[in-house]
Amino acid sequence: MDIATLRKEHPEHWNKAAAIRVLTLDAVAAANSGHSGMPMGMADVATVLFEKHLKFDPKNPQWPDRDRFILSAGHGSMLLYSLLHLTGYADMTIDQIKNFRQWGAITAGHPEYGHATGIETTTGPLGQGLANSVGFAMAEEIQRAHYGKKVVDHYTYVIAGDGCLMEGVSHEAIALAGRQELSKLIVFWDNNGITIDGKVEISDRTNQPMRFEASGWHVQEIDGHDPVAIDAAIAAAKKTDKPSMIACATHIALGSSAQDTSKGHGALTDATLIADTRKVYGWNHAPFVIPADVQAGWAAIGAQGASEFAEWTARFEAMPGGKQSDFTRAYALDAPQKISAAVKALKKKISEEQPKVATRKSSEMTLEVLNPLLPETVGGSADLTGSNNTKTPDLGVFTPEDRKGRYVYYGIREHGMCSAMNGMVLHGGVRPYGGTFMCFTDYARPAMRLAALMKIPTVFVMTHDSIGLGEDGPTHQPVEHLAISRATPNTYVFRPADTVETAEAWEVALTVKDTPSVMALSRQNLPTVRLEHKNKNLTALGAYVLRDATAKREAILMATGSEVEIALKAADILESEGIGVRVVSMPCMELFEAQDDAYRKRVLPGGPVRVAIEAGVQMGWDKWLTGERGKSTKAAFVGMTGFGASAPAPTLYEKFGITAEETVKKVKELLGN
């Protein structure tokens, strides 16, 4: 439908949609930066969605039963900011729109979760929002099964562009959603045929509707500028028992001289182009001015949800008190107090029995204790359930037939799994964790980074954490992955030495609210090193003295995970020769760095030589080896300097020199012995 027909046949709709378009033009021009074309092209779809279908209440933006709207094509952020402003979200003022992309404004270049109400997830890296949406829809299904349709019954809507569908994560997300029959998920594809480099056809010829159909989706193709067709398509999508994709044929940068060109994708800032476009729109108002009748029309859309919210509140308050409390607690990310006692009891049992098990098994043992106490946990694995040890007997399996199941078979989809888990956290009410091999953090990395950026407590279970996995060889043996994870801001990287530390790590991961956790767990069996039971969670301190010197302290050995055992053996040898050694276990560098200076000094005092032992690269250890204030401390590292090899684990440790004997040698060299 062309602009003239739209203005003539649907004047009220046109004016509402035009408000989005001109706010986009004005904000991008003021910033001299941004992406004008997508909001101009998808304004009709967004207007129909918000006016006729989306369940939301700007006065209660955290309403748990609201529909979720995700702008996967996050570069078109002015579409979302305009909608939030026009519908009456209090924090999205006209001044925020005027300060688009400026320091201190909530209107960042791409939507950032936590900056403004109404932003459901951080998008911009293409495909992420689409993959997040699968987790949103799964969380809705799980909660609806648990609490009932009267309290949980909402949709997840997504706008995705050509770039989102080209990114590999889109295939993982689409296939998973189709398999799980997520009928409350509706995706609008902005089918404008344009990318930054030119027409889509220069790089892609995928028949996207057929692709979605092949994955089990309900598919429609419409004119993305026809409000009647848009309305009918959404209504039809809501009736199907499959996830739905609506292919919306649109014109990027609609009405401007850049329409249907790659130029239209980016910032349209030329004054003549903007003036000419406003004439085409019939918009003769000053920049950032919305006429009263249009503003009132949008305000009425924003007010529609108030009565639905009130009705929902009454239904929620009619639920049994216990269910209300569980619901509220889970949405607040508050763990039940009883998990602390459960962890203490498990630690005491382990310290007494002293089993020798892989920490991946230790993780399973912990989850067997905690999952029954935390009905909001949702486990999963990327086709490595038996290796990751992430499934416990009480969970059941999440399927189209059993929405109460709390374990997800994600398939070989590490990126899609981690993105979906982020979506679950963002939806609220669930605490997901999912597993793969540590080496495959490479596949999951974009989602892990965004969890840290968004400050959400997703738990990434990464087993087979070193050359200790053995014969599978260097393709599967992580050496740099601990360093990469530790380099990511706002991430807790746990590498526990035994079951006690593993239980403590899980306690932290399941109680923290604003930080994701990476669990680096061994394949090979490890002895219990925490032989004396302590009620205190020492892993929460990041590092602690596991064993102190008996002879005069001359050296400090620091280690994590499977190498703590090596440090203890080296200390035995050195102590037998009269060299006093303190052994420090450092299961989480980030938490240790968060401790006060006095504690860190007590654990790592100046004077003794220091040796760190870890079956990974040295990067990240220098601060603890050489001292925090740049003081000269004699230090050495025992670990990897290159990739691993295919051989049994004991052989690899010997060949790569990660042994007690090599550690003893380093200490003696540093001491000049």
Side-chain angles (χ1 to χ4, degrees):
M1 185 174 289
D2 59 37
I3 291 175
T5 304
L6 266 174
R7 290 181 61 184
K8 180 180 179 180
E9 296 184 4
H10 306 281
E12 289 187 12
H13 164 85
W14 169 259
N15 286 332
K16 291 188 187 85
I20 296 171
R21 293 178 170 117
V22 293
L23 281 176
T24 295
L25 285 168
D26 294 342
V28 171
N32 197 32
S33 172
H35 299 81
S36 310
M38 194 282 278
M40 294 166 71
M42 285 297 284
D44 294 306
V45 171
T47 299
V48 173
L49 174 64
F50 271 65
E51 182 171 11
K52 297 184 179 297
H53 294 277
L54 196 74
K55 180 172 65 173
F56 71 108
D57 181 6
K59 298 290 191 295
N60 294 282
Q62 302 306 322
W63 176 16
D65 199 37
R66 70 191 180 278
D67 288 340
R68 272 63 168 180
F69 173 64
I70 296 170
L71 188 68
S72 187
H75 55 277
S77 56
M78 270 309 304
L79 176 73
L80 178 55
Y81 300 152
S82 298
L83 289 163
L84 298 179
H85 170 67
L86 291 166
T87 55
Y89 283 78
D91 54 349
M92 193 58 68
T93 64
I94 194 64
D95 285 338
Q96 292 290 348
I97 300 290
K98 290 178 178 179
N99 283 289
F100 177 55
R101 287 184 164 227
Q102 304 308 301
W103 177 263
I106 62 176
T107 46
H110 296 82
E112 293 193 35
Y113 175 74
H115 280 211
T117 53
I119 299 175
E120 302 286 3
T121 180
T122 294
T123 55
L126 293 176
Q128 285 294 318
L130 175 59
N132 290 160
S133 74
V134 177
F136 275 86
M138 290 169 71
E140 193 274 346
E141 293 280 2
I142 291 168
Q143 292 220 301
R144 180 152 39 91
H146 188 69
Y147 292 103
K149 194 173 181 179
K150 290 183 178 180
V151 175
V152 180
D153 186 23
H154 54 264
Y155 288 86
T156 299
Y157 295 97
V158 183
I159 287 181
D162 292 300
C164 294
L165 300 192
M166 285 191 205
E167 290 287 357
V169 72
S170 72
H171 184 71
E172 299 181 22
I174 292 164
L176 180 60
R179 169 63 188 91
Q180 292 292 350
E181 300 177 17
L182 301 176
S183 61
K184 294 283 195 173
L185 175 59
I186 299 174
V187 174
F188 302 97
W189 169 35
D190 179 17
N191 181 19
N192 60 46
I194 296 295
T195 65
I196 293 173
D197 280 351
K199 292 185 180 298
V200 167
E201 64 191 31
I202 68 174
S203 59
D204 191 74
R205 59 170 50 170
T206 304
N207 185 317
Q208 296 292 356
M210 288 181 66
R211 178 186 173 210
F212 277 80
E213 284 180 357
S215 292
W217 287 59
H218 176 262
V219 174
Q220 302 173 80
E221 298 183 60
I222 64 169
D223 178 347
H225 298 298
D226 181 345
V228 175
I230 296 165
D231 183 24
I234 298 172
K238 291 162 80 172
K239 292 176 182 177
T240 181
D241 59 0
K242 299 177 179 180
S244 191
M245 189 272 262
I246 303 172
C248 306
T250 62
H251 296 285
I252 198 169
L254 179 75
S256 75
S257 59
Q259 177 178 312
D260 301 330
T261 70
S262 57
K263 178 184 176 182
H265 171 86
L268 302 180
T269 58
D270 178 77
T272 301
L273 179 150
I274 293 172
D276 289 347
T277 305
R278 294 170 88 91
K279 288 179 183 177
V280 171
Y281 290 171
W283 196 273
N284 56 8
H285 311 285
F288 298 107
V289 172
I290 306 298
D293 61 330
V294 177
Q295 188 72 67
W298 273 111
I301 293 172
Q304 289 174 163
S307 59
E308 287 187 278
F309 173 76
E311 291 167 5
W312 176 87
T313 301
R315 293 194 301 271
F316 178 77
E317 291 175 349
M319 273 204 312
K323 274 205 166 186
Q324 287 187 49
S325 297
D326 284 346
F327 186 95
T328 303
R329 179 189 59 73
Y331 265 89
L333 289 170
D334 291 331
Q337 292 184 348
K338 54 191 172 185
I339 75 165
S340 177
V343 168
K344 288 185 178 72
L346 176 61
K347 287 164 51 179
K348 188 174 189 299
K349 180 174 181 285
I350 295 301
S351 294
E352 292 169 354
E353 296 179 359
Q354 301 177 20
K356 185 174 184 179
V357 296
T359 51
R360 60 174 175 154
K361 179 64 177 177
S362 302
S363 175
E364 180 184 38
M365 293 161 65
T366 305
L367 290 170
E368 286 175 347
V369 170
L370 296 183
N371 274 336
L373 304 179
L374 286 152
E376 62 267 34
T377 55
V378 177
S381 171
D383 199 52
L384 290 166
T385 296
S387 295
N388 298 147
N389 294 69
T390 41
K391 187 174 185 291
T392 58
D394 61 301
L395 292 180
V397 178
F398 178 80
T399 66
E401 297 74 35
D402 182 8
R403 295 309 199 190
K404 289 185 177 180
R406 292 164 52 203
Y407 191 82
V408 182
Y409 288 116
Y410 286 100
I412 305 92
R413 302 184 180 104
E414 293 87 359
H415 193 176
M417 173 182 73
C418 294
S419 297
M421 290 196 299
N422 286 348
M424 289 185 195
V425 179
L426 292 162
H427 175 279
V430 295
R431 270 191 179 264
Y433 65 87
T436 186
F437 289 169
M438 185 76 189
C439 196
F440 301 144
T441 55
D442 288 340
Y443 290 153
R445 168 84 182 133
M448 296 171 73
R449 179 178 187 268
L450 283 172
L453 178 62
M454 291 189 281
K455 300 180 180 178
I456 57 174
T458 316
V459 183
F460 306 102
V461 181
M462 301 298 173
T463 69
H464 296 58
D465 69 341
S466 72
I467 59 170
L469 66 88
E471 292 85 347
D472 275 347
T475 58
H476 285 54
Q477 292 166 3
V479 292
E480 74 274 36
H481 300 76
L482 283 166
I484 291 170
S485 297
R486 287 169 178 156
T488 307
N490 189 44
T491 300
Y492 292 154
V493 183
F494 294 99
R495 191 163 186 254
D498 65 3
T499 305
V500 174
E501 286 191 356
T502 304
E504 292 180 335
W506 270 111
E507 183 179 12
V508 175
L510 292 175
T511 54
V512 70
K513 294 186 179 185
D514 55 7
T515 305
S517 297
V518 178
M519 298 286 184
L521 306 172
S522 75
R523 175 183 186 258
Q524 70 274 37
N525 291 339
L526 305 179
T528 300
V529 297
R530 282 275 289 281
L531 305 180
E532 182 184 353
H533 172 65
K534 301 279 189 183
N535 276 329
K536 187 172 185 179
N537 188 324
L538 299 182
T539 296
L541 298 172
Y544 62 94
V545 179
L546 178 62
R547 184 199 294 174
D548 215 345
T550 53
K552 178 185 176 184
R553 187 169 62 222
E554 298 182 66
I556 297 175
L557 301 183
M558 299 174 285
T560 72
S562 46
E563 287 70 69
V564 172
E565 175 186 10
I566 293 173
L568 290 168
K569 289 178 180 176
D572 288 340
I573 296 170
L574 289 163
E575 288 277 359
S576 71
E577 298 179 17
I579 299 172
V581 177
R582 168 178 284 187
V583 176
V584 171
S585 180
M586 193 176 287
C588 183
M589 289 184 180
E590 298 78 26
L591 285 171
F592 184 54
E593 190 162 5
Q595 305 308 308
D596 60 43
D597 191 53
Y599 177 75
R600 294 198 304 272
K601 281 182 179 178
R602 287 200 303 274
V603 175
L604 297 177
V609 301
R610 299 181 186 179
V611 176
I613 316 156
E614 187 171 71
V617 297
Q618 182 173 337
M619 186 177 293
W621 277 102
D622 290 345
K623 179 174 184 176
W624 314 117
L625 283 169
T626 59
E628 296 184 58
R629 283 161 291 282
K631 294 180 180 178
S632 178
T633 299
K634 290 183 178 181
F637 180 72
V638 175
M640 299 295 291
T641 57
F643 293 111
S646 180
T651 302
L652 293 170
Y653 272 84
E654 179 186 352
K655 295 297 184 183
F656 286 109
I658 307 175
T659 62
E661 291 73 21
E662 181 63 23
T663 304
V664 168
K665 179 182 174 184
K666 293 283 189 185
V667 169
K668 289 182 176 180
E669 287 174 353
L670 293 170
L671 292 173
N673 292 358

